[in-house]
C-alpha cells in the first residue's frame, strides 16, 4: 500500500493532499510551487492554529507558524473595541429614542443609561496598543 503524500505551497500558504491532486489540476488550482511535506508536518499545520500565530512559509518553502504582526493584533483589538461600543449603544437605543422624543424616562431606564454610558467611557479609554494583553471592561449588572 502506497503512503499518502502531502504538499505545501508557499505562494498559496496552503496544504494539499495527494488524493485531491487530480481535482485541483482539473480546476486549474494546483500551485506550481508545491513541495512535499511529511505526514507529521501536514498534521501539525492542518490542526488548530496556535494563538498569536499564522501559517507561513519558511525560507525553504516549508510550512511554519509565524507570529501574527502586532499591527494586525492591534487592528483586531480596535475592531473589538468598536464592536463592544456598538453593542452597548444598541442596548440603550430605545432609551435614546425616548429621550429624543422628549419622553420621561423611568428610574430603571436612567440607571441603565448611566451604567451603559460609564461602560462605553471605559471601553473608549481602553488602550489597544497593549494587545493582545488587554483587560476589557465588563458591563455592570443592572
Amino acid at each position: 500500500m502506497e503512503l499518502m503524500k502531502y504538499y505545501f505551497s508557499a505562494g498559496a500558504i496552503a496544504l494539499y493532499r495527494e488524493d485531491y491532486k487530480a481535482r485541483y489540476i482539473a480546476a486549474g488550482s494546483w500551485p506550481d510551487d508545491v513541495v512535499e511535506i511529511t505526514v507529521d508536518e501536514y498534521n501539525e499545520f492542518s490542526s488548530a492554529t496556535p494563538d498569536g500565530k499564522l501559517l507561513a512559509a519558511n525560507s525553504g518553502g516549508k510550512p511554519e507558524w509565524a507570529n501574527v504582526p502586532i499591527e494586525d493584533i492591534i487592528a483586531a483589538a480596535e475592531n473589538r473595541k468598536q464592536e463592544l461600543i456598538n453593542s452597548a449603544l444598541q442596548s440603550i437605543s430605545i432609551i435614546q429614542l425616548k429621550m429624543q422624543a422628549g419622553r420621561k424616562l423611568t428610574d430603571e431606564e436612567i440607571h441603565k443609561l448611566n451604567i451603559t454610558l460609564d461602560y462605553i467611557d471605559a471601553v473608549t479609554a481602553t488602550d489597544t496598543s497593549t494587545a493582545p494583553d488587554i483587560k476589557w471592561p465588563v458591563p455592570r449588572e443592572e
Side-chain angles (χ1 to χ4, degrees):
M1 184 172 142
E2 192 172 320
L3 292 177
M4 172 76 69
K5 291 183 181 179
Y6 299 95
Y7 303 94
F8 176 73
S9 165
I13 309 293
L15 301 163
Y16 299 90
R17 294 170 37 138
E18 176 76 23
D19 54 344
Y20 296 129
K21 183 177 180 178
R23 293 178 189 170
Y24 285 114
I25 291 171
S29 59
W30 184 257
D32 294 333
D33 68 342
V34 294
V35 294
E36 190 170 342
I37 59 173
T38 67
V39 66
D40 289 339
E41 288 172 318
Y42 181 83
N43 288 336
E44 176 184 352
F45 295 106
S46 64
S47 64
T49 304
D51 287 342
K53 301 290 184 177
L54 54 82
L55 184 59
N58 66 23
S59 60
K62 295 270 192 147
E64 71 176 359
W65 293 124
N67 292 326
V68 174
I70 192 64
E71 299 82 20
D72 292 353
I73 294 171
I74 292 172
E78 284 292 330
N79 287 340
R80 178 155 188 226
K81 179 190 247 187
Q82 193 57 56
E83 289 169 1
L84 292 172
I85 291 169
N86 290 345
S87 178
L89 287 171
Q90 182 64 34
S91 75
I92 58 172
S93 63
I94 298 295
I95 297 171
Q96 290 175 310
L97 184 62
K98 285 178 72 174
M99 284 178 52
Q100 289 171 348
R103 290 182 148 187
K104 182 160 175 49
L105 300 179
T106 65
D107 289 342
E108 293 83 21
E109 289 169 327
I110 293 169
H111 178 71
K112 179 177 173 112
L113 182 62
N114 284 323
I115 64 170
T116 302
L117 291 175
D118 289 345
Y119 172 71
I120 290 170
D121 287 342
V123 171
T124 301
T126 300
D127 181 6
T128 56
S129 70
T130 63
D133 301 318
I134 297 173
K135 183 167 178 8
W136 292 102
V138 178
R140 286 192 354 216
E141 296 296 318
E142 296 177 35

